[in-house]
Amino acid sequence: MHHHPSRRRFLGNMLALAGTGAVPFTLNLAAMGNAAAQNASDYKAIVCLFLAGGNDHFNTVLATDSSSWSEYQRIRTTTDSGSIALPGVGATGGVLPIVPNSPQAGRTFALHPSLGPLKELFDAGRLGVLANVGTLIQPTTLAQYKAGAVALPPRLFSHNDQQATWQSSQMESSATSGWGGRMADIMASANGSSTFTCVSNAGNALFLAGRTVRQYQISGSSAVPINRLNDSLFGLPAGSNPLRQIISGEQSDPFQKDHAAVVARAIDAQATLSSAMSAVGSGVPDPTQYVNPNTGVAAVNPLAVQLQTVARLIGGRSTLGVRRQVFYVSLGSFDSHDFQRTNQADLLAKLAHAMAYFDGVMGNLQGADMRKQVTLFTASDFGRTFTSNGDGTDHGWGAHHFIMGGAVKGKDIYGSMPVTGLGHALDVGSGSLLPTTSVDQYGATLASWFGLSATQIADVFPNIGNFSNRNLGFMAG
C-alpha cells in the first residue's frame, strides 16, 4: 500500500511534538481542519452494515437478459454435484425484476427472491446498487493485474486482510485506523462530546477506529452497565454500595489513577446513553420477526435488533449532543463454500427484513422523517467466484452493494454491471471480478455527503488521488 500523509496531518503531528510553544498555531490549524464540522448545524449519520465472510453478489443482484441468464444457468448448474442457480425469471418463485432509471443497453436485472423488501425500497427510490466495487489502490486492467504492473491491495482473497483493507485501506497487520473513524476525527467537533461519535453494535470494529476518536461499543439493545453498581451489594443497601468508590474513586498510584479515570468515564457514558435511549422509548418499536424462507419459521432477527439500537441512539441525538455519527453493525456467515443456496437465502432474508425495518423507523422517528439524514451502506470482505462446486463458491474480489436512505438517488445501478460469464475482460480467475470501482471512491462519495471537503477526503482515503472520479453521484446534494 502506498500512503501519502497529507501536509495538514504532517504539520499537526510535528506541532503536537513541539510542545506548548506551538499551541496557538496548533489550535488555529485544528480550527481550519474542522471548519466543516463547525458548520454542521444539521444531523447526519452513516451506518456501515458489514456482511462478514464475503457475500455472493452473483446471486444477490443478477443480470437477467437472455444471454446473461443462459450463461448464469449454465455455469452455476453443475451436472455432477448440484446447483446454486436461482429459480428462473418470472412471477412465480423466481428472481425479482428491478428496472433502474439509467438503463444499460440490452440488459435487464433482478434481485434474489429473499430480497422482496429491498425491491420495494429500490422501486420507491430509496435504495441504489453500486456494481462491482472492491479494494483497489489505483485503476487496474486485467493485463496490468496479470503482469503485476501496478500496485495491488495486499493479500487478495484473504478474509482478515480484505476486511481490514475494506475498512481502513490498509492490511490487517498495519491497520491502525478505519475510514469511518477518520471521518469522525474531522467531524467530532460538531458534537458536544466525542464519546458517541462512533458507535459499534458488533464488537470492536476497525472501521470506527479513529486517530483521536475512540469507538463506543454497545451490546444488544441497550447500554451495558456494570453489574451491582447501583443496587445492594453483599447485604449493603444501594445507597451504601462502595463498589463505585472502589473502582473509580481517588487513587494515589498513577496506573490505578488512570484506570479509575477510564472506569469513571465509562460509568458516566453508560448513564448518559441509557438516559438518552430510555427517553426515546416506544418511539422505536421492536422489529417484527423475520421468516426463514427455507423453513417458513418466524424468528428474531439479530441484525434488526442491532439496527433498533442504532435507531434509539439517533432518536437520542439531542440528549447526547451529537450532529454527526458513524455506526457499525454486522451480519455474519456469508463465507458460502457449502450449502450456499439455502444459507444465503436465509441471510439475505435477514438483511432485507432488517434494512426495511430500519427504513420504516427512520421514516417516522419521534414524528419526524429522518431518512434524508441517515444513510446505510453495505460492505463485505469480497465477492465470490462465478464458478461453483455445485454447493458453494470460493473467495472472489469485486462485488455489488446496496446504499439506502432518503438522500440516496435510488432506483438505479451505479457503475457498469460486468459481463455474465467467464473469460471476459474483468475475470481474474474462476469468474472472480476485477473491481471497476474502488472502496475509496465508494467511501469518498459518502464522505462528501457527510460534509467533508475535498482536502479532508484526501486525508481520509489515501488512494483517492489515483482516481479521476471521486464522487460516484449516488448521493443527493
Side-chain angles (χ1 to χ4, degrees):
M1 296 291 289
H2 294 168
H3 297 289
H4 304 288
S6 70
R7 185 176 304 168
R8 181 170 67 80
R9 194 198 313 172
F10 172 77
L11 288 173
N13 290 340
M14 293 300 293
L15 290 170
L17 293 172
T20 57
V23 167
F25 185 59
T26 304
L27 294 176
N28 185 51
L29 188 65
M32 292 167 60
N34 291 327
Q38 297 296 342
N39 293 328
S41 59
D42 56 332
Y43 174 86
K44 286 184 179 178
I46 290 177
V47 182
C48 174
L49 197 173
F50 204 86
L51 310 178
N55 177 47
D56 180 73
H57 59 289
F58 286 117
N59 271 17
T60 303
V61 182
L62 308 92
T64 56
D65 50 276
S66 179
S67 60
S68 297
W69 190 255
S70 295
E71 277 295 275
Y72 169 82
Q73 290 289 338
R74 181 180 72 83
I75 295 170
R76 291 222 142 178
T77 301
T78 58
T79 56
D80 56 342
S81 56
S83 171
I84 61 167
L86 298 174
V89 182
T92 56
V95 293
L96 308 172
I98 56 172
V99 182
N101 287 331
S102 303
Q104 299 189 19
R107 309 199 71 185
T108 57
F109 305 99
L111 301 180
H112 188 285
S114 292
L115 297 178
L118 295 193
K119 171 179 165 53
E120 294 180 11
L121 289 171
F122 185 91
D123 292 343
R126 296 195 299 278
L127 182 82
V129 174
L130 180 57
N132 194 18
V133 57
T135 55
L136 286 172
I137 295 174
Q138 63 189 74
T140 303
T141 66
L142 185 61
Q144 290 171 326
Y145 168 80
K146 289 181 175 180
V150 296
L152 296 172
R155 299 179 184 174
L156 290 168
F157 318 112
S158 158
H159 282 294
N160 290 349
D161 286 290
Q162 290 308 295
Q163 286 185 10
T165 305
W166 251 95
Q167 296 183 33
S168 73
S169 303
Q170 294 177 287
M171 63 187 294
E172 183 188 27
S173 60
S174 58
T176 57
S177 66
W179 56 267
R182 294 194 293 268
M183 286 196 300
D185 287 334
I186 293 170
M187 304 301 291
S189 63
N191 298 337
S193 168
S194 65
T195 302
F196 304 112
T197 302
C198 290
V199 182
S200 172
N201 201 358
N204 187 40
L206 176 59
F207 175 73
L208 294 182
R211 299 180 185 120
T212 56
V213 170
R214 294 184 177 182
Q215 61 187 288
Y216 188 90
Q217 296 180 43
I218 192 169
S219 178
S221 59
S222 64
V224 179
I226 296 175
N227 287 335
R228 312 311 296 266
L229 186 65
N230 297 310
D231 56 3
S232 60
L233 181 69
F234 300 123
L236 292 171
S240 302
N241 189 333
L243 180 58
R244 178 168 183 142
Q245 179 61 32
I246 292 171
I247 63 176
S248 63
E250 287 295 326
Q251 304 288 340
S252 57
D253 180 85
F255 293 103
Q256 293 177 344
K257 188 173 183 177
D258 281 351
H259 179 268
V262 170
V263 172
R265 287 196 297 271
I267 292 171
D268 292 341
Q270 186 274 328
T272 300
L273 195 61
S274 294
S275 175
M277 295 175 71
S278 297
V280 177
S282 60
V284 178
D286 291 338
T288 61
Q289 293 184 318
Y290 91 105
V291 176
N292 185 320
N294 303 309
T295 63
V297 175
V300 172
N301 183 351
L303 179 60
V305 173
Q306 289 182 57
L307 288 173
Q308 180 186 30
T309 303
V310 171
R312 285 175 172 165
L313 287 165
I314 293 172
R317 62 195 180 279
S318 297
T319 303
L320 298 176
V322 290
R323 294 177 179 175
R324 289 292 186 273
Q325 287 184 287
V326 186
F327 296 96
Y328 181 89
V329 297
S330 181
L331 180 63
S333 301
F334 280 92
D335 192 18
S336 52
H337 294 279
D338 302 291
F339 309 111
Q340 177 174 307
R341 190 165 179 173
T342 54
N343 289 352
Q344 191 188 28
D346 184 41
L347 289 169
L348 292 181
K350 291 177 181 175
L351 175 69
H353 170 266
M355 288 176 64
Y357 161 76
F358 189 67
D359 171 80
V361 172
M362 289 298 103
N364 185 25
L365 184 61
Q366 299 168 309
D369 187 346
M370 294 293 293
R371 289 185 178 119
K372 288 186 178 180
Q373 293 164 271
V374 180
T375 300
L376 179 150
F377 72 98
T378 65
S380 192
D381 314 22
F382 35 60
R384 313 294 294 188
T385 55
F386 192 39
T387 58
S388 82
N389 58 20
D391 198 27
T393 53
D394 207 345
H395 302 175
W397 192 357
H400 314 320
H401 283 285
F402 298 116
I403 316 105
M404 182 186 80
V408 175
K409 297 178 184 177
K411 201 179 181 183
D412 223 339
I413 296 175
Y414 292 85
S416 178
M417 287 289 285
V419 172
T420 300
L422 299 173
H424 52 77
L426 297 175
D427 180 3
V428 299
S430 302
S432 175
L433 292 178
L434 174 65
T436 47
T437 298
S438 74
V439 175
D440 284 41
Q441 292 170 290
Y442 191 12
T445 306
L446 292 165
S448 179
W449 170 80
F450 205 48
L452 275 69
S453 69
T455 301
Q456 291 166 337
I457 287 172
D459 187 54
V460 171
F461 299 96
N463 302 314
I464 195 63
N466 298 329
F467 299 90
S468 57
N469 185 6
R470 302 178 190 183
N471 191 318
L472 302 175
F474 57 73
M475 298 299 297

